[in-house]
Each structure stands twice: as C-alpha cells, then as structure tokens.
Amino acid sequence: MEKHADFCPSIKSLRIFEEVAHYGNVARAAEEVNITASAASHQLAKLEKELGCLLFNRSPKGMTLTLAGENYLKEISPLLLGLTQASTRLGNEKARSALRIHCAPSFGLLWLLPRLHKFRERYPAIQVTLSCSYENLSFSRDNIDIAVRHGFPDWKSLEVKTIRHEKMSVLASPDYLIKHPVATPAELINHALILSESPLIQWPQWFAAMQLAQPTKDWLFRFDRSYMSLEAARLGHGVVFESELLAAEYLRSGTLVRVFGDECSLPVNAHHLVWPRGFARFPRVSHFLQWSSEQLEASPPA
C-alpha cells in the first residue's frame, strides 16, 4: 500500500498494538480496550498492512514482537502515554501536580512509605498516589508517572536507574539469637530458616556462596513477600536472608540485627526506578527522582 508523507495510523490501532505487545494475546488485549477479539485482529492486520511490515511473530503459544515491532513500540509508547495523560489532565491544574507511583509491595511498605512524608513536606503541592503490585503495569494504560520495579532490568523502551549498594544479609531478632546463638555460618544448617521466595538471591545461593552444604530439613516458613519474611524474623521465629534495603527500619530500630559481618553478605541489584523517556522533564517526576536519590544515598542503618 502506498502511504502519503503525512500518513498516521489510527489511535485505536496503536492502542491495540500496544496492548497485544504487553499481553502477547489478542483476546486479552481486546478486553482492555473493550472491543471484540475479531475487531482487534482486524485493527492489527490493518496496521501491519499500512506500515508494510509484520509487527508480531504468531505461534500457538501467543504473539511476540518482531524486531520491527520492538523498535516501533519504543517509538510510539511515550507518544501514547503523553497523549493519554494530556487528555486526562486537561483543564485540571490539581491533576497536573499529581505524582502517580507504582512499586513492588515490599518496597512500598518497608522503604517508601516510612519516608514518603518527607517528600510531601518538601513538595506540599504535589499530591502522591501510590499503588503496589508485582505486576509491571503499563505506564500509559494505568496512568503511571514512575515505577519502582523488582527483578532484572529488561525494559528497553524505558529509562532505568538501578538502586545501587543493595545487599542481602542474614538477619535475626536479638531475642532469637539469645535463645539460639549462632557462631559460624556452618551452624545455620541446624537453625530455623525462613525462606523469602521473591528476592533474586535466596538461601540456596547464600549457602553455595559460603561453600556450605545445602540444608536438608524443611524451611520453617516460605513467604512470597519480603515483608512477611521480615516480620516472621522480627517475631523471633527464625533466621531470614533478606535485603538490607527493605530491612532498613528493622535494623535502625534494632528489632533485627545482622547475624554475621559484611563478609557474609551478598550484593544485589534488584530494585530499579523506571519511567518513560521524556518524563524526567516533568517537575513532579524530576523532584521525586532527586529526592529518592538523596534518600538512597543517605547513611545506611547502624
């Protein structure tokens, strides 16, 4: 199909393209934009015809972006996001100053929430909305300004700033250690161990790094949320291997302590500030990026 120099696809077809790229499934994408799967397939086929290239590889397992599709998504996602937010906030001055943050639940509860009042004190005109889940939400569809994501940083179409100097350490409550002293790493194999399943580095990797045999008895507890693991350790149930970034308030208050020195801690780059390209020019986003950097660079807990 011959295209004019000012050719521009419809917003509807671009939205379908973005949703299919996110879900890898036409039917699921169609639900998000409230049309039938047949109509969504038609819009997608029309877009590919107009562009003159395939955007997806299709298989029984789903749809994955082609190289052309990946590049196109990088280009249009910031534009769609800007269009969505501009339309939503038009004529609403208060909404323009609202900062919408999404983050992993444990980071939101354990690190961000205890400090968020400091951000509000510095920038009282910025209204903060915080949502938490382990799903990587769409910035445009879910109207998010900035996210704190947990995992491996594989978000090529977004700006990413990895939180540095995070480390995983063996932690326990002082009461637990009084009742169950631990002198060496090798002794932990006989202790009640709480397994955190969400961190990128867990107990098995720690035992391997310490060149110790893996525990053979069952874990005392297994939790898929770090805040549950840390609370269980604070209550004196057992020993946990967790992020000092998330455990900062426990360490500062003394309700949890390091069982060993730094030589038994492992570095990890697991949390990342993520935002769409160009969003750092918005004052609400730039202020949060600057403030969070200051908080993260502050002295670690004693």
Side-chain angles (χ1 to χ4, degrees), residues 28 80 89 103 173 186 232 238-239 267-268 271:
R28 183 69 180 86
L80 287 176
R89 300 174 186 181
C103 66
S173 72
V239 184
V268 65
H271 290 90

Side-chain angles (χ1 to χ4, degrees), residues 70-213:
E70 288 182 5
N71 292 331
Y72 194 52
L73 182 65
K74 292 177 188 177
E75 293 290 336
I76 70 161
S77 289
L79 301 177
L80 287 176
L81 179 57
L83 179 61
T84 299
Q85 297 201 332
S87 300
T88 301
R89 300 174 186 181
L90 183 63
N92 188 337
E93 188 63 35
K94 184 177 180 180
R96 290 192 191 110
S97 65
L99 177 67
R100 294 166 175 82
I101 307 168
H102 177 264
C103 66
S106 291
F107 185 91
L109 177 66
L110 298 173
W111 191 90
L112 184 55
L113 191 58
R115 295 166 175 79
L116 205 52
H117 69 284
K118 297 179 182 178
F119 179 79
R120 289 283 286 136
E121 288 170 359
R122 185 183 297 184
Y123 303 106
I126 299 179
Q127 180 66 50
V128 178
T129 298
L130 175 63
S131 61
C132 295
S133 73
Y134 279 110
E135 180 185 5
N136 290 337
L137 301 184
S138 165
F139 284 89
S140 58
R141 183 185 65 250
D142 299 296
N143 198 22
I144 296 167
D145 292 313
I146 191 166
V148 183
R149 293 183 175 179
H150 178 269
F152 297 103
D154 186 24
W155 309 294
K156 297 182 178 62
S157 63
L158 301 168
E159 296 285 351
V160 179
K161 181 180 180 181
T162 297
I163 296 174
R164 302 296 179 185
H165 312 302
E166 183 178 1
K167 60 183 176 181
M168 303 287 296
S169 297
V170 180
L171 309 173
S173 72
D175 287 345
Y176 178 89
L177 293 176
I178 290 172
K179 297 175 183 176
H180 312 281
V182 183
T184 66
E187 292 179 12
L188 275 184
I189 199 166
N190 298 316
H191 281 258
L193 302 182
I194 300 165
L195 178 67
S196 272
E197 296 181 322
S198 59
L200 299 184
I201 303 176
Q202 301 173 13
W203 272 125
Q205 288 78 25
W206 183 84
F207 277 98
M210 296 299 110
Q211 299 182 332
L212 297 171

